[in-house]
Amino acid sequence: MGGKPAAEKPAAEKRLPRLQRLSRLGLGTVQFGFDYGVNNTRGQVPYDEVCNILTSASDQGVNFLDTSRLYGASESVLGKAIAEIGRDFTICTKLDLPSNFSELSENEIGEAVNASFMGSCKSLQLNTLPMFLLHIFDYKTTHGGYV
């Protein structure tokens, strides 16, 4: 009780997703990770604009973000930007397996799922993920639905 205060945890260890009611509108973040889109003439969104977009979205009540490891640097850009602006978002990301996933053993698939999950946590600077979806339907059907 009267001893030294507990040591402060590093910021990355403190970021747990907060349970919150999701906004009716979410923000897709693929262009935060790379040059994407038929009508995109500007390329990847610059980091300072990502911070401004996220701040504006939060100010308007948007708290749901959609991303994926398949969206280039999107997860790491989001992790850095959210930590910088200090806003709460619920993030949905997606499983990314190697292109030869159907040839992998169940053990190798399990390891790949874990690596994708942990990689997303690290990039997003979160200890866990509030939503983790299958990005490709074949993930569900391969190996009898093992994934």
Side-chain angles (χ1 to χ4, degrees), residues 69 94-96 111-121 132:
R69 295 184 64 72
K94 299 164 195 84
L95 175 63
D96 177 25
E111 290 172 0
V113 168
N114 187 57
S116 179
F117 184 90
M118 296 308 293
S120 290
C121 287
F132 192 58

Side-chain angles (χ1 to χ4, degrees), residues 108-131:
E108 291 169 323
I109 288 175
E111 290 172 0
V113 168
N114 187 57
S116 179
F117 184 90
M118 296 308 293
S120 290
C121 287
K122 182 177 180 179
S123 295
L124 292 164
Q125 300 181 30
L126 294 170
N127 288 332
T128 191
L129 301 171
M131 291 186 206

